[in-house]
Amino acid sequence: MNDMCQPPGLAPETFGAQHYKSDYKPIWCPGCGDYTVLAAITKALATVQKPPHEVAVVSGIGCSSRIPAYTSCYGFHGVHGRALAAGTGLKVARPDLTVLVASGDGDGYSIGGNHFLHACRRNVDLTYIVMDNHVYGMTKGQPSPTTEPDWDSKLSPGGTGVRSFHPLVIALASGANFVARAFSGDQQGTAEIIAQGIRHPGFSFIEILSPCVTFRPEQRDWRNLVHPASVQPTDDPARAAKRIMTDDGFNIGVLYAGHRAPYAGGPSPASADMAALEAEFAV
Amino acid sequence: MDGSTSIELKQAAHVVQRDVSIAIAGSGGSGVMTAGTWLLDAAARAGLYGLMVRTSGPQIRGGEAAALLRLSGAQVESLDDAFDVLVALDWQNVHRFADEIPLRATSVLVCDADAGEVPAVFLASGARVVALPLKKMAKAAGSWINMLALGISGALAGVPQAQLEEAVRSGWKRDGDGLAANLRALNEGCLAVAHLAGSPLTGSAGPRRWLLSGNEAAGYGALRGGVRFVAAYPITPATEMLEWMAPALARTGGCLLQAEDELASINMIIGASFGGVPSLTATAGPGLSLMTEGIGLAVAAEVPIVVVDVMRGGPSTGIPAKSEQSDLSFAVAGLHGDAPRLVVSPTSISDCAATTHWAVQLAEALQCPALVLSDQFLGQSQAIVRAPELPEGAPQRLVAPAHAPGYKRYANTENGVSPMAIPGTPGVTYTADGLEHTEGAIPSSQAADHRKQLDKRLRKLTGHDYGSRWADCEGDAPLAVITFGSATGPVREAARRAAAQGVEVRVIALRLLMPLQAAALDRALAGVERVIVVEQNHGAQLLHYLRGAYDLPGQPASFHHPGPLPLRPAEICNALVAWAREEETLA
Ligand SMILES: Cc1ncc(C[n+]2csc(CCOP(=O)(O)OP(=O)(O)O)c2C)c(N)n1
Ligand code: SF4
């Protein structure tokens, strides 16, 4: 219903970002970083020119996970932490679709942490976008795996005292084929990185710093901290890991682009019918 | 009535056909499962029917193991009360499953003369003990002790030697010398007990027969029903279903994915089915627990999926390799929110095929999850059965056409089933949602939307016509037995034996457990004065479920005990007879 208003059988010659946008009004707080991520996703899809009905956006639960309904693609808004699993099943069963999976840092790294590791190593050809705001937005301000250890909250007064998680290095070590960091405030740059991730074969992981202006208003300052990565992307995971481990966390760009062959376990052409299977049971 | 009373081991009144029960026991690695499998194969070649149940200790390799067989000229669906033949290769740890191998005074126990004393539990039965130098004989033949056991058990059971030899030839995949030695040992075994051998079992030149396990049958039924995507995480006793399906899916145009855990499996199949591909996962109790959130998602988002739960002893990791029917309460009640779903249960090993096929059809037609309650007995036992009658027709998912004007994914249709747009179809994109939503698939927290969607999701299940497959009903007596799943086999046999003692009972084996078919149950129970519910679990879960959802006639009684001891026909028969007599005195 929210597909573009095209008469049956007539697809536009080219798709613009507006063709990937639905007309539903987001529930996000004014100023939330996720608005720009949404805009960047639609821009990136326009760049790759895949018709909206051949794209599926899959998510879990959180403010960030609301994204699918705001696109005019097929969407799946599932349960907390399991977006990668649903996206993996969809892409493996339907290799013809372009699959984007959208998460937050709580959704993707905490409850969904195990799926993150295994999606990286499985290397299914999909694009994983995590809107990282170093907080649980939807449940109103609890620490996430990427929150600084001394960040004070009602649930962890004085801070968790637990070191924060490093998603990029973990993705790299687990086998992701494309690792990038983006900043939602840079809509054009983010769109470019997402388009590159979609085009790159295998599992593409894009960490997007996306401020939660409500529970972490100080993140407005990220705008002044981010800077483009001053180096070319590498295909050497060890070099990439070293760069990421030693950068300041605000280095924006494609940091690693590898050559691993994507997951090959999809459907195979049928070579037998039911009668052939039955024959094996017959005595 | 409580099932914990000891089993009365009287000679079974075999109403239909002579049959023989054989146990081959030994420590793991001694090859008892191979001997059992080849004996069953030989029986199949001889035109017989039969059943083989595996039992083993908790060890991964080694430990104790036994192949429990029952062979007959007619189809058998249950173990007998006791074993006519026990071939024991050694006595290591045998005490751990001695209670699973009851003997009779008329039984023959063949053991290795050098394996030490026969344990008292077996002697107490009064069975005739035949001690032979099994290990030495095997060595002399240049073969293994289990080939001797095959010859001995085959001869005692009355399976012709020619078919035993055929089974060895087809089962032996290695070099030719070994084959000759195996055949020598087999022959030695047959000769050693020739003086005791029973008359040959006669096979009936009956209809087409299949040899398969319930897990294979379920896998086959799923494929035939249209499943082309499976994601799962290994767990006993469901793994073999997946191992059968992996190559079979590859051959039929699908695929299987080993997930990182059950949370992933369930969400992967939901993703695949959202993509339009009929999907399934198989697990056991602990995995089912992890899947509940995902099953609820499939209910809310209206995505068809099939979850096969091969039940085992619970709770928690319980007894992994042994059977129990104790996940029923969880299957019918274990989701949060009001979450209508389908729960079905196969009534026999061969019915695993038909019921799983049906589950796929129902899930697809009603766009909801279908749980198939199999169990270790059904799943891991192998049986020679009549080829099952399978449902016809491809899965029918109501899909939305391209560019449908005003398309609403969750439209409140009369029968509750709304057309589902499949990704790739232009002009009908939508976002599936586990959050409550409007008909147009927009998240909503409004009471009216919630009520409408709850009504719709319930209505599509309760309003569906399930036909006659909802239960297997036999007889018209005023006393009825209600049962389900693997309890059905022993119940049917008990009912036949009770009838031979002048006690008629009506048997109703439920296949569709949820939604419960009240009107059909009314008809099936017409004229019934009182009901007894038979099941294999500690809490009488089926009885309580039925009582909660339906007014059973009279004062319903219960016969139940937990696994891993199987329900035996004699104990159920005794319970039925005692219960019927009690009725008479009351009357
Ligand atoms: C199983 C489960 N546990 C907890 C929740 C509650 N919950 C909803 S969203 C959320 C955290 C979201 O945080 P994040 O992924 O960082 O996304 P954000 O809202 O910040 O975009 C939690 C804990 C849930 N929905 N399901
Ligand atoms: S709570 Fe934070 S993350 Fe959620 S919408 Fe508001 S600003 Fe965005």
Side-chain angles (χ1 to χ4, degrees):
Chain A
M1 185 183 85
N2 51 350
D3 205 355
M4 66 245 139
C5 302
Q6 272 296 314
L10 284 183
E13 293 285 291
T14 52
F15 297 98
Q18 75 277 11
H19 291 119
Y20 299 92
K21 213 168 273 172
S22 78
D23 41 18
Y24 304 128
K25 200 174 164 296
I27 55 155
W28 294 317
C29 313
C32 174
D34 296 349
Y35 284 102
T36 344
V37 178
L38 172 63
I41 287 175
T42 57
K43 214 172 218 173
L45 287 169
T47 308
V48 300
Q49 286 295 304
K50 186 94 170 160
H53 63 271
E54 292 175 17
V55 178
V57 186
V58 179
S59 72
I61 295 293
C63 298
S64 37
S65 287
R66 288 288 186 126
I67 270 204
Y70 308 144
T71 73
S72 66
C73 307
Y74 279 93
F76 189 87
H77 184 209
V79 288
H80 193 37
R82 315 292 163 210
L84 273 174
T88 297
L90 176 60
K91 179 65 188 185
V92 171
R94 288 288 311 275
D96 56 309
L97 300 173
T98 294
V99 176
L100 309 185
V101 177
S103 272
D105 41 315
D107 190 72
Y109 307 145
S110 198
I111 190 166
N114 193 33
H115 307 309
F116 179 42
L117 301 183
H118 293 280
C120 291
R121 54 181 280 265
R122 199 175 277 121
N123 202 25
V124 170
D125 185 18
L126 53 80
T127 306
Y128 186 39
I129 296 166
V130 180
M131 285 151 264
D132 190 347
N133 51 20
H134 299 191
V135 75
Y136 285 21
M138 181 153 273
T139 46
K140 301 193 167 55
Q142 301 80 31
S144 89
T146 48
T147 302
E148 308 81 326
D150 59 352
W151 186 71
D152 188 44
S153 69
K154 279 194 207 155
L155 203 54
S156 295
T160 58
V162 176
R163 66 171 279 172
S164 42
F165 188 81
H166 208 320
L168 294 147
V169 197
I170 287 164
L172 210 50
S174 310
N177 211 25
F178 176 97
V179 173
R181 188 189 279 128
F183 171 55
S184 70
D186 171 16
Q187 194 191 119
Q188 183 56 33
T190 302
E192 280 165 22
I193 289 174
I194 294 174
Q196 279 186 61
I198 293 172
R199 286 186 173 135
H200 196 83
F203 185 80
S204 302
F205 169 55
I206 304 167
E207 153 91 359
I208 306 182
L209 298 172
S210 178
C212 172
V213 293
T214 300
F215 297 105
R216 305 290 312 260
E218 72 280 13
Q219 289 175 349
R220 289 179 195 275
D221 196 38
W222 280 358
R223 176 170 303 283
N224 305 316
L225 299 176
V226 296
H227 52 87
S230 55
V231 284
Q232 285 299 306
T234 170
D235 62 357
D236 174 356
R239 267 181 69 199
K242 192 166 174 202
R243 275 186 200 164
I244 296 168
M245 286 293 275
T246 51
D247 78 10
D248 59 358
F250 292 98
N251 205 15
I252 302 305
V254 177
L255 303 166
Y256 171 79
H259 311 294
R260 277 180 70 209
Y263 182 77
S268 40
S271 63
D273 59 10
M274 292 303 124
L277 297 181
E278 283 186 9
E280 288 168 22
F281 294 137
V283 295
Chain B
M1 226 168 303
D2 188 299
S4 62
T5 49
S6 68
I7 304 168
E8 198 181 317
L9 298 177
K10 44 187 167 186
Q11 183 72 48
H14 297 307
V15 189
V16 190
Q17 183 99 18
R18 187 175 86 85
D19 62 32
V20 179
S21 291
I22 309 112
I24 309 174
S27 46
S30 58
V32 295
M33 292 308 173
T34 306
T37 306
W38 291 1
L39 179 56
L40 192 67
D41 184 26
R45 290 165 191 275
L48 298 166
Y49 290 91
L51 175 71
M52 173 177 144
V53 179
R54 293 156 184 264
T55 180
S56 58
Q59 299 81 359
I60 308 304
R61 280 262 153 90
E64 71 282 8
L68 309 176
L69 290 95
R70 187 178 187 190
L71 305 178
S72 171
Q75 187 160 296
V76 281
E77 293 180 344
S78 146
L79 284 175
D80 201 351
D81 312 316
F83 289 85
D84 305 296
V85 175
L86 166 61
V87 182
L89 304 187
D90 58 58
W91 298 118
Q92 241 173 295
N93 294 323
V94 150
H95 59 276
R96 283 206 279 227
F97 57 32
D99 51 1
E100 291 176 52
I101 312 176
L103 299 179
R104 310 180 166 99
T106 52
S107 306
V108 178
L109 189 171
V110 184
C111 58
D112 191 345
D114 302 321
E117 292 291 298
V118 177
V121 277
F122 293 117
L123 288 177
S125 65
R128 172 171 185 170
V129 176
V130 180
L132 296 168
L134 296 179
K135 223 181 219 143
K136 287 180 188 146
M137 289 164 72
K139 207 166 176 193
S143 175
W144 281 276
I145 191 166
N146 66 331
M147 287 301 103
L148 269 176
L150 177 61
I152 291 167
S153 55
L156 290 175
V159 177
Q161 191 169 338
Q163 274 86 35
L164 292 169
E165 288 176 1
E166 275 178 41
V168 173
R169 277 199 193 91
S170 105
W172 182 256
K173 304 273 187 258
R174 283 176 275 167
D175 68 274
D177 279 2
L179 177 62
N182 284 345
L183 292 172
R184 259 196 314 277
L186 174 84
N187 186 49
E188 293 286 317
C190 293
L191 284 177
V193 294
H195 60 295
L196 291 168
S199 55
L201 283 173
T202 43
S204 51
R208 295 187 308 135
R209 289 169 309 135
W210 285 5
L211 171 52
L212 78 181
S213 71
N215 276 338
E216 290 170 346
Y220 172 71
L223 270 182
R224 198 174 177 280
V227 164
R228 289 296 178 273
F229 181 84
V230 172
Y233 191 74
I235 187 167
T236 307
T239 310
E240 288 134 35
M241 179 175 167
L242 305 164
E243 288 174 343
W244 184 86
M245 290 196 89
L249 275 162
R251 291 171 64 196
T252 50
C255 61
L256 179 143
L257 200 161
Q258 181 174 330
E260 54 271 26
D261 56 31
E262 287 83 355
L263 301 152
S265 330
I266 191 79
N267 284 280
M268 282 175 176
I269 69 166
I270 292 171
S273 179
F274 166 74
V277 180
S279 301
L280 170 146
T281 188
T283 189
L288 185 64
S289 303
L290 290 181
M291 287 179 185
T292 42
E293 190 201 27
I295 297 172
L297 169 62
V299 171
E302 302 200 46
V303 177
I305 51 162
V306 177
V307 179
V308 178
D309 174 26
V310 188
M311 295 184 283
R312 60 190 217 178
S316 192
T317 22
I319 312 182
K322 308 223 178 186
S323 209
E324 200 167 73
Q325 296 182 295
S326 47
D327 296 346
L328 172 66
S329 296
F330 187 76
V332 297
L335 299 183
H336 68 270
D338 293 305
R341 81 217 74 158
L342 297 159
V343 181
V344 297
S345 186
T347 57
S348 68
I349 291 168
S350 68
D351 190 48
C352 288
T355 294
T356 312
H357 182 135
W358 192 44
V360 181
Q361 286 184 327
L362 290 177
E364 291 287 320
L366 301 174
Q367 298 179 18
C368 70
L371 274 70
V372 180
L373 289 182
S374 178
D375 61 33
Q376 186 272 339
F377 175 87
L378 292 175
Q380 290 195 315
S381 301
Q382 285 172 287
I384 308 160
V385 293
R386 283 190 292 278
E389 304 230 342
L390 297 164
E392 282 313 318
Q396 290 296 330
R397 189 185 294 194
L398 184 66
V399 298
H403 301 290
Y407 175 64
K408 286 195 167 88
R409 166 63 186 106
Y410 299 114
N412 195 18
T413 59
E414 197 177 330
N415 68 1
V417 179
S418 328
M420 180 170 181
I422 306 299
T425 316
V428 282
T429 57
Y430 76 102
T431 292
D433 214 316
L435 274 181
E436 193 55 278
H437 40 251
T438 63
E439 291 184 61
I442 304 305
S444 166
S445 53
Q446 288 182 25
D449 289 324
H450 185 44
R451 178 63 179 263
K452 212 186 259 180
Q453 293 299 322
L454 287 174
D455 281 350
K456 167 180 138 60
R457 295 192 291 253
L458 181 63
R459 186 169 74 241
K460 65 179 179 175
L461 265 65
T462 51
H464 185 76
D465 179 3
Y466 297 90
S468 59
R469 218 172 257 281
W470 70 280
D472 289 340
C473 305
E474 280 169 51
D476 54 8
L479 294 179
V481 187
I482 301 184
T483 190
F484 82 109
S486 66
T488 308
V491 162
R492 282 189 182 132
E493 184 161 339
R496 284 196 292 275
R497 292 190 198 176
Q501 294 178 43
V503 173
E504 296 282 347
V505 290
R506 190 182 298 201
V507 175
I508 300 170
L510 298 172
R511 187 177 284 105
L512 179 61
L513 294 159
M514 185 171 237
L516 197 65
Q517 297 300 289
L521 208 44
D522 281 348
R523 287 191 295 276
L525 287 169
V528 165
E529 286 153 16
R530 206 176 160 215
V531 163
I532 186 167
V533 178
V534 179
E535 57 195 307
Q536 190 195 20
N537 55 54
H538 192 248
Q541 297 184 8
L542 179 60
L543 175 77
H544 294 305
Y545 169 56
L546 287 172
R547 292 197 75 177
Y550 184 85
D551 284 329
L552 290 169
Q555 270 295 316
S558 175
F559 180 86
H560 62 277
H561 65 67
L565 286 184
L567 289 168
R568 303 267 185 199
E571 56 177 344
I572 301 171
C573 175
N574 292 347
L576 294 181
V577 172
W579 174 60
R581 304 265 144 88
E582 176 192 321
E583 279 299 294
E584 274 166 27
T585 27
L586 292 178

